[in-house]
């Protein structure tokens, strides 16, 4: 158990207006503050959060309090980044895929997991898993789902059964591009 996992931010400091106000009051030369401020314009900055968070255990809490998780969640929820992009090489990761992978790493913090659950990430992932634009996207979203479901207290009670059935339907598809292992792991994680 990390010391940062014992630290809990009250919900009122995690509202969008509170995190924006807090971020504006911080030293704008701080690398963490600068990186988070640029997240929405340049999703590649999300990857820069990882080494910054690794330098100190409370940096994950700072990312949460500065609005970094809010921005990653917004990029993940952006319907234009979830939709299949025509004319672009499929080797390039979408904003939603990058956000999901960074969130997967940052979910090591229980405070971040609690925040994501409070923001309805399971509902968002249910839609993303149901309508993936590629097998890679399905694998990434299923991996994030499995990571979030490791904590029994975070399991969605009302969403669990429909999502498990949805994942079962994906396993039945004849489409060979779907990753059966990722879907099976997510489905198993939903079972009690």
């Amino acid at each position: 158990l990390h010391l940062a996992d014992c630290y809990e931010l009250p919900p009122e400091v995690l509202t969008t207006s509170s995190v924006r106000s807090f971020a504006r009051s911080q030293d704008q030369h701080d690398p963490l503050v600068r990186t988070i401020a640029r997240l929405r314009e340049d999703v590649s900055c999300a990857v820069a959060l990882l080494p910054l968070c690794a330098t100190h255990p409370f940096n994950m809490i700072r990312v949460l309090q500065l609005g970094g998780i809010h921005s990653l969640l917004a990029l993940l929820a952006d319907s234009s980044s979830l939709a299949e992009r025509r004319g672009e090489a499929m080797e390039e990761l979408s904003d939603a895929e990058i956000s999901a992978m960074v969130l997967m790493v940052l979910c090591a913090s229980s405070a971040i997991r609690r925040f994501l659950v409070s923001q309805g990430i399971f509902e968002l992932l249910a839609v993303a898993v149901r309508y993936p634009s590629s097998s890679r996207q399905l694998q990434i979203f299923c991996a994030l789902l499995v990571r979030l479901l490791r904590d029994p207290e975070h399991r969605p009670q009302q969403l669990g059964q429909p999502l498990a059935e949805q994942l079962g339907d994906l396993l039945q598809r004849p489409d060979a591009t779907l990753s059966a292992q990722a879907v099976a792991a997510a489905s198993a994680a939903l079972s009690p």
Side-chain angles (χ1 to χ4, degrees):
L1 181 68
H2 294 287
L3 182 60
D5 280 344
C6 299
Y7 190 77
E8 202 165 326
L9 292 169
E12 57 270 8
V13 302
L14 294 177
T15 64
T16 304
S17 57
S18 294
V19 296
R20 285 183 181 160
S21 175
F22 180 75
R24 282 191 299 271
S25 71
Q26 300 301 300
D27 177 10
Q28 297 303 305
H29 298 291
D30 180 329
L32 203 52
V33 174
R34 278 194 327 237
T35 303
I36 291 169
R38 293 183 42 219
L39 262 179
R40 293 219 184 175
E41 298 120 25
D42 184 7
V43 74
S44 64
C45 290
V47 179
L49 287 175
L50 300 177
L52 291 170
C53 286
T55 60
H56 194 278
F58 277 99
N59 277 353
M60 283 196 195
I61 299 295
R62 287 189 65 221
V63 167
L64 181 57
Q65 195 171 13
L66 288 166
I69 303 302
H70 295 71
S71 295
L72 289 170
L73 198 53
L75 287 168
L76 179 63
D78 183 11
S79 60
S80 64
S81 64
L82 288 172
E84 188 172 358
R85 296 175 299 172
R86 305 272 183 231
E88 286 190 34
M90 283 306 293
E91 294 87 36
E92 186 179 324
L93 291 171
S94 71
D95 293 354
E97 291 168 332
I98 293 170
S99 297
M101 289 190 291
V102 171
L103 284 172
M104 203 178 325
V105 174
L106 295 178
C107 278
S109 165
S110 63
I112 290 175
R113 289 192 304 274
R114 280 191 302 273
F115 176 74
L116 289 173
V117 169
S118 76
Q119 297 300 304
I121 188 136
F122 289 117
E123 291 83 359
L124 174 64
L125 287 173
V127 173
V129 166
R130 184 171 189 136
Y131 303 106
S133 65
S134 67
S135 60
R136 179 186 67 209
Q137 197 174 74
L138 178 64
Q139 281 185 306
I140 291 169
F141 293 143
C142 282
L144 178 57
L145 181 63
V146 169
R147 175 65 190 99
L148 288 166
L149 290 170
R150 284 186 184 167
D151 301 329
E153 70 272 10
H154 292 152
R155 288 175 190 253
Q157 300 304 320
Q158 70 280 9
L159 188 66
Q161 187 59 34
L163 187 54
E165 289 170 6
Q166 179 179 308
L167 290 168
D169 291 345
L170 283 173
L171 283 172
Q172 303 303 319
R173 284 187 187 173
D175 186 354
T177 62
L178 292 177
S179 171
Q181 290 177 337
V183 174
S187 185
L190 277 168
S191 59

